[in-house]
């Protein structure tokens, strides 16, 4: 906090100095709409000086000698430009007209931006700058989860690296079926593949939480297939994040909060601190700028497990009283003797601890009237600490009592580094607009396991290990060109372009002790007495170290075994693409667009996709729109080459499962083919209405995806005498990998998704204030089509290849219905924000029919109150989940609960299970 204070002071002095030395004239005024003040509107001069209006809609500008005109803009209103000469007594007021649902959008079209009531496909526009002043959420994923009904994301629990990524979905599809852009340029994905028991299992998404909210001006969410326009991944839609371009204004905020909940530890836990800073400077006198953003985040962990219900102590743990142990449960007697309770042996079931920061920038430098150079990018670092399942004293093969007499809680520590940089030049080539750019992004995650041990090292085991990590890098080069032919029909826009993309994926091996089994040996012969001669070897096939119950000690770091040298990969690929895009306005009312895109990948071949869309203005109020397209998603390098052994919670038990590539021997034995691209067909149609203060959109859609990639169930071999040769060989291969089961990525299923999105917005002046009301909802259903696509070698094992739990993750583990109703009322210095979000029912993912459970729908209420202390300082206090609502509890005895771990389902989630989050925020604008 000290550093943030120093930086804030430093930047403030820069602004003050600039004001005193460079500016000559003061201008002020009010921004209104129908006599109601508009707070937060952007007021900008032609030479880049900008401010935002205060709570009374008032602005003050210090003009330079180059200032000639002022433009005022605000989400939901038509921008207005006036010449400074129109000012009377240094006062210039603006009266804005309310326009369409939110504002003009650039996503989904390469022509002149249009309002989202006039677009050919539905687009949500989220005004981050103003929204983050009122809501409790401080990360993008959680903010989206409560703002955009078609978007779902939740904080994950005990899922290794996924604890820090939060998989997200759009329109009920997977995290890897939505494309993310920054300023219209492709964003790289994370290096983590989701392999644990979470929604999005087997997918690789984009880490939205790596982008600080302070760096964002607004976000556009295109809810339509767009692979023909933007390439791979854009099956569910596209999220375009537009960075802040504000100058000569410093914005800073500090948020503190925590879970003030009935189930919180000490009634208040999970404390969160976030500090944000944004500041921009003009570059030159032609409208150039550079905008900087920074953030610092700290989040304490939470725990919602109350007690461990399984075996804590067996008679092996007390040989004095039980000289001939059999493994009998003596937990209650031992707890009473030691003065302990089952609550002393819980895991940490809740959000992970994180600490980190980010720096972003966005800039434009005009070269002349028709050309400019731009650049943007950022750095993000997060240190995370998530807990695994506690190892109890009774787990003899996983614990060494001399190190941890009462067992231990392993901690998985991650260092997550994210870097991005994009630059380009755009301008005129004759009558054509051209844009040449290059975007680079890289993500790396390193793992450590702490407060743990390698049991096969016995008392010599260290308690922390370097496990290795992941790396992913992506470089994208684009050349885009377009031209609008104004005099052809009612206007024709023609666009085309080229793209080259390079990707690299790595797995880095950990230290030997993090994965090795030091109890293994090689038999090299027999001695004179007929005893085996054994040489210690971590790759041997003879076990030599056994726990008191006769079972061999477990290998590697408990909870997260390190990556072995044979897991290490360094794989790359490239792709090239060419596209054409035409938008024809046959009349001012009738628009037809078409796109065609060819793409070739070095590792699997080519694909050709198309899109057709139309919009027809029925009258001044109503528009009809429709679209049809094909799409594809290339299998990620992660899915092609990821291989490792990890600990999983499966049907109430913790097992070690190995993931094998599709060219591995286990995959050959099971007849699992090489991965290929997913393909899709999308159709949508909708109606928009503009009734003045009331705006409405209704859009339905259908998406079919063929050859969808899934993460299979767990295949286990057997060494029983009656086992097949196939199962015996699989068993031997699993033993080599220190795993008891095997999983793969496979194009196993076809799916269809049907949905309806509805959005209503209403603006009204009430008294001296303004009220904005938003009602939106999504209704979506995904089903598996036809039979599972399995080889003959998998005959009889189809239910493992694509198991019931995987089906539930796809079809019903996230809400099929979400409805959002929000009210935002501003009057004078006061602001009230009230929101209710309805989360539909979900189902917990399990393969045990008796444990299948549906968790009922819930309504979560958010409330915040804001007060403008001064014209520069605003204070907000409020709560997310005001009434401390929790999901339905998991039934006692269910495998979904395990040994008391999960009182609330982690496999089917609606809004998490941390309870009420109370917060306070100070926001400073200078």
């Amino acid at each position: 906090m000290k550093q943030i204070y120093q930086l804030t002071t430093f930047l403030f002095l820069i602004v003050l100095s600039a004001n005193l030395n460079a500016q000559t004239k003061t201008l002020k005024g009010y921004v209104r709409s129908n006599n109601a003040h508009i707070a937060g509107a952007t007021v900008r001069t032609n030479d880049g000086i900008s401010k935002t209006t205060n709570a009374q809609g008032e602005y003050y500008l210090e003009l330079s000698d180059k200032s000639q005109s002022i433009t005022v803009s605000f989400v939901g209103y038509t921008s207005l430009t006036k010449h400074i000469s129109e000012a009377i007594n240094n006062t210039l007021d603006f009266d804005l007209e309310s326009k369409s649902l939110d504002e003009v959008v650039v996503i989904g079209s390469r022509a002149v931006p249009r309002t989202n009531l006039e677009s050919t496909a539905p687009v949500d526009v989220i005004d981050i700058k103003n929204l983050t002043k009122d809501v409790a959420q401080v990360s993008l994923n959680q903010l989206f989860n409560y703002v955009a009904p078609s978007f779902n994301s939740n904080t994950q629990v005990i899922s290794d690296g996924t604890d820090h990524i939060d998989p997200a979905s759009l329109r009920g599809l997977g995290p890897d079926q939505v494309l993310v852009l920054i300023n219209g340029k492709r964003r790289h994905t994370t290096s983590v593949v989701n392999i644990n028991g979470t929604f999005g299992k087997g997918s690789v998404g984009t880490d939205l939480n790596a982008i600080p909210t302070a760096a964002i001006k607004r976000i556009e969410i295109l809810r339509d297939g767009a692979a023909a326009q933007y390439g791979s991944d854009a099956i569910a839609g596209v999220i375009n994040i537009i960075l802040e371009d504000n100058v000569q204004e410093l914005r800073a905020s500090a948020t503190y909060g925590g879970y003030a909940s009935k189930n919180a530890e000490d009634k208040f836990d999970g404390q969160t601190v976030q500090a944000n800073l944004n500041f921009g400077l003009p570059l030159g006198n032609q409208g150039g700028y550079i905008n900087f953003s920074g953030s610092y985040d700290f989040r304490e962990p939470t725990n919602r497990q109350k007690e461990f219900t399984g075996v804590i102590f067996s008679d092996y743990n007390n040989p004095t009283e039980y000289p001939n142990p059999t493994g009998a449960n003596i937990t209650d007697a031992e707890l009473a003797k030691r003065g302990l309770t089952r609550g002393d042996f819980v895991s940490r079931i809740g959000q992970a601890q994180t600490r980190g920061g980010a720096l972003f920038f966005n800039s434009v430098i005009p070269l002349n009237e028709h050309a400019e150079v731009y650049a943007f990018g950022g750095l993000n670092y997060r240190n995370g600490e998530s807990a695994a399942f506690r190892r109890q004293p009774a787990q003899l093969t996983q614990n060494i009592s001399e190190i941890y007499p009462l067992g231990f809680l392993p901690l998985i520590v991650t260092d997550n580094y994210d870097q991005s940089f994009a630059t380009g030049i755009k301008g005129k080539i004759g009558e054509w607009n051209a844009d040449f750019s290059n975007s680079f992004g890289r993500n790396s995650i390193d793992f450590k396991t702490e407060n743990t041990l390698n049991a096969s090292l016995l008392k010599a085991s260290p308690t922390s290990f370097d496990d290795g990590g992941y790396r992913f890098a992506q470089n994208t080069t684009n050349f885009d060109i377009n031209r609008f032919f104004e005099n052809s029909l009612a206007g024709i826009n023609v666009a085309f372009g080229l793209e080259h993309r390079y990707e690299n994926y790595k797995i880095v091996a950990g230290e030997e002790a993090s994965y090795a089994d030091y109890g293994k040996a090689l038999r090299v012969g027999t001695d004179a007495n007929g005893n085996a001669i054994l040489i210690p070897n971590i790759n041997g096939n003879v076990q030599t170290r056994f726990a008191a119950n006769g079972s061999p000690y477990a290998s590697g770091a408990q909870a997260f075994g390190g990556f072995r040298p044979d897991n290490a990969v360094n794989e790359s690929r490239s792709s090239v693409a060419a596209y054409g895009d035409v938008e024809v306005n046959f009349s001012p009312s009738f628009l037809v667009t078409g796109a065609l895109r060819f793409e070739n990948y070095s590792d699997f071949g080519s694909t050709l996709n198309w899109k057709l869309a139309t919009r027809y203005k029925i009258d001044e109020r109503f528009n009809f729109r429709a679209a049809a397209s094909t799409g594809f998603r290339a299998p990620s390098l992660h899915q092609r080459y990821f291989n490792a052994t990890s600990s999983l919670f499966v049907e109430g038990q913790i097992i070690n499962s190995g993931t094998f590539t599709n060219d591995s021997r286990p995959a050959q034995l099971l007849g699992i083919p090489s991965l290929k691209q997913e393909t899709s067909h999308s159709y949508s149609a909708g109606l928009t209405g503009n009734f003045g203060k009331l705006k409405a959109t209704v859009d339905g859609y259908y998406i079919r995806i063929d050859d969808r990639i899934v993460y299979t169930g767990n295949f286990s071999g057997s060494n029983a005498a009656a086992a097949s040769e196939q199962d015996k060989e699989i068993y031997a291969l699993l033993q080599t990998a220190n795993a008891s089961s095997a999983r793969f990525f496979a194009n196993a299923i076809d799916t269809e998704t049907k949905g309806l999105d509805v959005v209503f917005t209403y603006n009204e002046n009430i008294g001296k204030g303004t009220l904005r009301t938003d009602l939106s909802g999504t209704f979506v259903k995904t089903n598996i089509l036809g039979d599972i696509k399995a080889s003959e070698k998998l005959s009889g094992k189809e239910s493992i290849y694509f198991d019931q739990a995987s089906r539930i993750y796809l079809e019903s583990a996230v809400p099929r219905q979400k409805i959002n109703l929000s009210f935002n009322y501003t009057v004078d210095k006061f602001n009230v924000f009230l929101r209710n979000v309805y989360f539909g029912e979900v189902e917990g993912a399990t393969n045990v029919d008796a444990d299948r459970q549906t968790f009922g729908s819930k309504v979560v209420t958010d409330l915040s109150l804001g007060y403008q202390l001064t014209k520069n300082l605003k204070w907000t206090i409020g709560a997310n989940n005001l009434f401390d609502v929790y999901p339905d509890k998991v039934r006692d005895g269910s495998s979904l609960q395990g040994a008391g771990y999960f009182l609330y389902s982690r496999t089917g989630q609606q809004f998490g299970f941390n309870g009420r989050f109370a917060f306070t925020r100070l926001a400073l604008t200078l």
Side-chain angles (χ1 to χ4, degrees), residues 723-744:
S724 66
E725 291 302 317
Q726 178 196 55
D727 282 348
K728 287 181 179 179
E729 186 173 355
I730 292 174
Y731 179 85
L733 291 167
L734 290 173
Q735 292 300 301
T736 301
N738 294 324
S740 59
S741 66
R743 295 183 296 173
F744 310 87

Side-chain angles (χ1 to χ4, degrees), residues 866-917:
Y867 181 72
Q868 199 75 32
L869 298 172
T870 70
K871 71 175 184 178
N872 302 114
L873 188 64
K874 181 180 181 180
W875 176 51
T876 304
I877 187 171
N880 163 238
N881 195 354
L882 178 66
F883 300 112
D884 204 17
V885 175
Y886 276 79
D888 294 341
K889 285 189 174 183
V890 176
R891 291 192 299 263
D892 289 340
S894 169
S895 62
L896 290 171
Q897 187 182 99
Y901 294 121
F902 303 107
L903 300 181
Y904 309 95
S905 172
R906 74 156 182 163
T907 59
Q909 285 202 43
Q910 299 153 302
F911 50 89
F913 47 78
N914 281 315
R916 180 195 301 114
F917 182 84

Side-chain angles (χ1 to χ4, degrees), residues 41 45 52 205 234 276 296 320 337 439 444 449 460 509 587 594 616 634 653 668 675 689 786 790-791 874 896:
T45 66
T52 55
N276 284 315
Y296 168 80
T320 302
K337 183 184 302 181
S439 306
S444 64
T449 315
S587 70
Y616 181 71
Q653 301 296 319
Q668 293 170 7
L675 290 176
S791 68
K874 181 180 181 180
L896 290 171

Side-chain angles (χ1 to χ4, degrees), residues 592-638:
V592 175
T593 73
L596 191 67
R597 185 183 183 99
F598 171 82
E599 199 145 355
N600 177 267
Y601 281 75
S602 62
D603 57 348
F604 74 82
S606 304
T607 180
L608 181 67
N609 293 279
W610 56 266
K611 181 172 184 177
L612 289 173
T614 185
R615 185 225 61 223
Y616 181 71
K617 292 185 177 181
I618 301 172
D619 56 28
E620 290 301 314
R621 290 187 174 184
F622 294 101
N623 294 322
F624 171 79
R625 59 191 178 194
S629 65
T630 62
F632 80 105
R633 188 188 72 81
S636 67
L637 287 176
H638 317 54

